[in-house]
């Protein structure tokens, strides 16, 4: 009986003791604040899920994110910054973007999350040469105002399918001819770290915009340094894919044998997410059907798998730093070289072997047929849009363009609205035979140069004897020295990531180049270095004290009318023969311009 009476007491005592020793439930974790500046795709999606909150404690929505980025553009883009000039990186804010944000919020509610949209409501700014069905693209030129597609470029359609929010268009060097941030419409994009300096080009507006946090990710096109250079001097991760990995459909061409559309972002992870969406085969661009990589026989659908430092990083890699090629000193000198050499030292501590290498027999080439390729773009545009373009060819002055009307001002050149910076290049291209496609011998030289580079990488001779197989090459990106020809001629993929900041406060980057179609290697090496160093720093930018009083419609009108009062030349005041002669005289002395036919 004693034990029967005692048991309930003991049991109660034990229960009490157990309860007192059991830890209490952890206090709920307070959500982190959502900060727009330097926000990554992961940050944005955490904020949508409530794991990050706005300053007032509310949850982020796609509409709210759209409004935050637009407000930042309106408050900063036209305000003088360090160096005394405004950045002026954004060319046009997409008026349809807010309605698209509403639709994306509805999808989020319906799917209880981002669903199968890895870029769900990630605001993007596109270079102004990408076609979009919902707002115009002008390639940075007043001569192309009103150029409105009814279908997206193939790469843009991929971005939208992944959930991206197309916020607008970024400025670019007019028709992508230069690299200093000059366009007819901008008119001048400057580097947000020091507006006395260039932002790199021709994807100048994209580079400056993403560095300035005007969007989460941007797109560029690289014919010769046009993604790599602006990524370098804006502290960004930029990917110039193999020619053919991303379709050229719907992207206004410069030289198809070199043109490579690709993403630019503040982190390589985010750039790779965009690359996934942009890169897919397209029957309208046969180059996208030529994929060949023995290590990865099937075209990768998801390049984020190569963001794996243990398996694809620097450890065990053999890499060459290109000191010279084709007689060009590719290393240069000064602070940029010092930063690259420090990066090489870092890579060695991470397990890579890095060698100084040269490619003395390198031959640079561009199978350029600009007149032909521009007109082919317009023909494709018309086939898809029913003569929706205000321009139909480069010029009607050339007798080869018999489908173009001079009286209707169908030609770009005849508008008289090309800025002086681009006029020489446009006019010289107009003198080419519009019926003549790329020179087969030059196309073959692209292949031969790539074969030479890759065979030398396969069996690079060492100074002391023997040889080494190089996994990738390191190159100094930029315009001085002009190293862009290496990747552009070979058509090989490159990834640029930051290596630091020079004394003037402007970032500098390094280019990791791999064999054609071997994006995995370039991505893996660059990502490992990026994650080990985290050199990215945002620029210090000031806002308009009257921010909040400006509308995006006013901003768009200003951009579209910025230089029109100055463009008062009248091409119709001259007889046609005289006008054509003026153009010929203007471009005389340029070796690449064909002379009069006998």
């Amino acid at each position: 009986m004693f034990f029967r009476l005692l048991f309930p007491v003991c049991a109660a005592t034990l229960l009490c003791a157990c309860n007192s020793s059991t830890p209490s439930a952890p206090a709920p974790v307070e959500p982190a604040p959502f900060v727009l500046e330097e926000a990554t795709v992961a940050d944005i999606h955490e904020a949508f899920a409530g794991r990050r909150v706005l300053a007032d404690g509310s949850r982020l929505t796609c509409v709210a994110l759209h409004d935050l980025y637009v407000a930042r553009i309106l408050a900063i883009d036209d305000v003088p910054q360090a160096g005394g000039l405004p950045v002026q990186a954004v060319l046009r804010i997409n008026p349809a973007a807010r309605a698209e944000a509403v639709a994306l919020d509805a999808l989020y509610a319906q799917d209880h999350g981002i669903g199968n949209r890895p870029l769900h409501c990630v605001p993007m700014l596109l270079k102004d040469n990408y076609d979009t069905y919902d707002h115009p693209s002008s390639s940075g030129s007043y001569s192309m105002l009103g150029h409105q597609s009814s279908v997206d470029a193939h790469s843009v359609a991929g971005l939208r399918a992944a959930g991206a929010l197309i916020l607008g268009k970024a400025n670019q060097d007019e028709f992508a001819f230069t690299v200093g941030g000059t366009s007819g419409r901008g008119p001048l994009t400057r580097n947000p770290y020091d507006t006395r300096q260039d932002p790199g080009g021709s994807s100048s507006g994209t580079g400056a915009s993403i560095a300035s946090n005007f969007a989460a990710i941007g797109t560029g096109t690289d014919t010769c340094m046009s993604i790599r250079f602006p990524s370098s001097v804006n502290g960004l991760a930029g990917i110039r894919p193999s020619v053919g990995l991303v379709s050229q459909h719907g992207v206004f061409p410069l030289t198809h044998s070199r043109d490579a559309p690709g993403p630019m972002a503040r982190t390589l992870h985010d750039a790779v997410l965009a690359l996934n969406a942009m890169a897919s085969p397209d029957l309208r661009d046969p180059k996208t059907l030529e994929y060949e990589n023995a290590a990865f026989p099937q075209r990768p659908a998801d390049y984020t798998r190569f963001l794996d430092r243990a398996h694809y990083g620097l450890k065990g890699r053999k890499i060459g730093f290109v000191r010279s090629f084709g007689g060009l000193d590719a290393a240069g000198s000064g602070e940029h070289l010092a930063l690259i050499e420090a990066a090489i030292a870092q890579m060695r501590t991470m397990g890579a072997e890095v060698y100084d290498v040269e490619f003395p027999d390198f031959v640079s080439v561009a199978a350029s047929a600009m007149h032909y390729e521009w007109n082919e773009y317009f023909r494709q545009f018309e086939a898809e849009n029913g003569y929706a373009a205000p321009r139909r060819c480069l010029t009607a002055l050339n007798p080869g363009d018999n489908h173009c009307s001079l009286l209707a001002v169908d030609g770009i050149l005849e508008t008289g609205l090309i800025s002086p910076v681009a006029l020489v290049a446009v006019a010289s291209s107009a003198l080419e035979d519009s019926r003549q496609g790329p020179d087969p011998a030059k196309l073959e030289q692209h292949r031969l140069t790539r074969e030479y580079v890759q065979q030398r990488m396969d069996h690079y001779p060492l100074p002391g004897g023997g040889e080494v197989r190089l996994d990738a090459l390191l190159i100094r990106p930029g315009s001085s020295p002009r190293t862009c020809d290496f990747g552009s001629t070979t058509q090989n993929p490159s990834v640029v990531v930051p290596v630091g900041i020079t004394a003037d406060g402007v970032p500098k980057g390094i280019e990791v180049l791999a064999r054609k179609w071997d994006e995995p290697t370039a991505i893996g090496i660059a990502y490992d270095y990026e994650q080990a160093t985290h050199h990215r720093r945002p620029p210090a930018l000031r806002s308009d004290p009257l921010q909040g009083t400006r509308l995006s419609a006013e901003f768009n009108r200003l951009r579209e009318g910025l230089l029109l009062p100055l463009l008062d030349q009248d091409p119709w005041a001259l007889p046609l023969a005289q006008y054509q002669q003026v153009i010929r005289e203007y471009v005389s002395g340029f070796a690449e311009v064909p002379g009069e036919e006998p």
Side-chain angles (χ1 to χ4, degrees), residues 161-230:
L165 178 67
I166 308 304
L167 195 62
K169 297 289 175 65
N171 195 24
Q172 66 167 83
D173 291 72
E174 189 164 2
F175 292 116
F177 279 125
T178 54
V179 296
T182 58
S183 82
R185 292 185 56 196
L188 187 64
T189 295
R190 306 310 293 158
N191 191 300
Y193 293 87
D194 180 355
T195 57
R196 292 167 296 188
Q197 298 194 41
D198 293 345
S202 61
S203 307
S204 49
T206 302
S209 290
I210 305 309
S212 300
N213 285 274
F214 294 157
I217 304 176
T219 66
T221 55
D222 189 310
T223 306
C224 197
M225 85 174 82
S226 296
I227 287 174
R228 290 165 286 171
F229 186 22

Side-chain angles (χ1 to χ4, degrees), residues 213-295:
N213 285 274
F214 294 157
I217 304 176
T219 66
T221 55
D222 189 310
T223 306
C224 197
M225 85 174 82
S226 296
I227 287 174
R228 290 165 286 171
F229 186 22
S231 294
S232 175
V233 298
N234 286 285
L236 302 178
I239 302 175
R240 174 200 156 88
S242 303
V243 172
L245 191 78
V246 176
S247 174
Q248 295 172 349
H249 165 264
V251 180
F252 199 88
L254 186 54
T255 303
H256 274 327
S257 70
R258 288 177 167 229
D259 291 346
M264 302 161 68
R266 291 182 292 272
T267 68
L268 185 51
H269 178 272
D270 287 357
V272 171
L273 286 178
L275 180 68
N276 283 345
M278 297 174 72
S280 63
D282 179 13
L283 293 175
R284 294 165 297 192
D285 182 358
K287 293 183 291 299
T288 65
L289 309 178
E290 298 171 358
Y291 176 85
E292 184 178 354
N293 184 340

Side-chain angles (χ1 to χ4, degrees), residues 403-458:
H403 76 290
C404 233
S405 167
L406 193 61
L407 295 178
V409 199
D410 281 339
I412 289 172
L413 191 61
E414 289 84 84
T415 65
L417 298 177
I418 302 167
S419 71
V421 174
L423 181 59
V424 171
V426 174
S428 63
S429 300
L431 298 178
E432 299 172 356
D433 187 342
S434 64
R435 297 158 294 189
Q436 184 64 52
D439 183 348
K442 289 185 177 181
L443 290 173
E444 175 65 4
Q445 186 61 59
H446 274 290
R447 188 190 67 80
L448 291 174
T449 299
R450 178 171 64 253
E451 188 175 272
Y452 161 68
V453 167
Q454 295 187 168
Q455 286 181 353
R456 193 165 170 84
M457 288 175 69
D458 288 344

Side-chain angles (χ1 to χ4, degrees), residues 38-211:
E38 299 297 283
T40 64
V41 172
D43 294 336
I44 290 169
H45 289 169
E46 283 189 357
F48 288 154
R51 292 187 292 275
R52 293 178 182 268
V53 293
L54 298 176
D56 62 1
S58 63
R59 182 178 292 195
L60 185 68
T61 65
C62 191
V63 169
L65 185 64
H66 165 277
D67 292 350
L68 286 170
Y69 274 116
V70 169
R72 183 174 174 87
I73 293 167
L74 297 180
I76 293 176
D77 198 31
D78 286 336
V79 176
Q81 304 294 338
L85 295 172
V87 177
Q88 289 191 322
V90 180
L91 201 55
R92 195 172 195 272
I93 297 170
N94 181 8
R98 201 171 195 275
E100 184 65 20
V102 172
L104 285 167
D105 276 335
L107 278 176
Y108 191 91
Q110 172 186 301
D111 295 341
H112 304 289
I114 64 172
N116 61 351
R117 298 178 300 280
L119 292 175
H120 175 85
C121 190
V122 173
M124 295 190 63
L125 285 167
L126 310 180
K127 188 175 181 178
D128 192 40
N129 57 355
Y130 281 75
D131 283 345
T132 47
Y133 78 85
D134 55 356
H135 65 305
S137 57
S138 67
S139 295
S141 179
Y142 273 125
S143 67
M144 291 280 283
L145 279 181
H147 183 79
Q148 175 63 67
S149 175
S150 63
V151 297
D152 281 332
H154 183 79
S155 55
V156 176
L159 290 168
R160 287 200 210 261
L165 178 67
I166 308 304
L167 195 62
K169 297 289 175 65
N171 195 24
Q172 66 167 83
D173 291 72
E174 189 164 2
F175 292 116
F177 279 125
T178 54
V179 296
T182 58
S183 82
R185 292 185 56 196
L188 187 64
T189 295
R190 306 310 293 158
N191 191 300
Y193 293 87
D194 180 355
T195 57
R196 292 167 296 188
Q197 298 194 41
D198 293 345
S202 61
S203 307
S204 49
T206 302
S209 290
I210 305 309

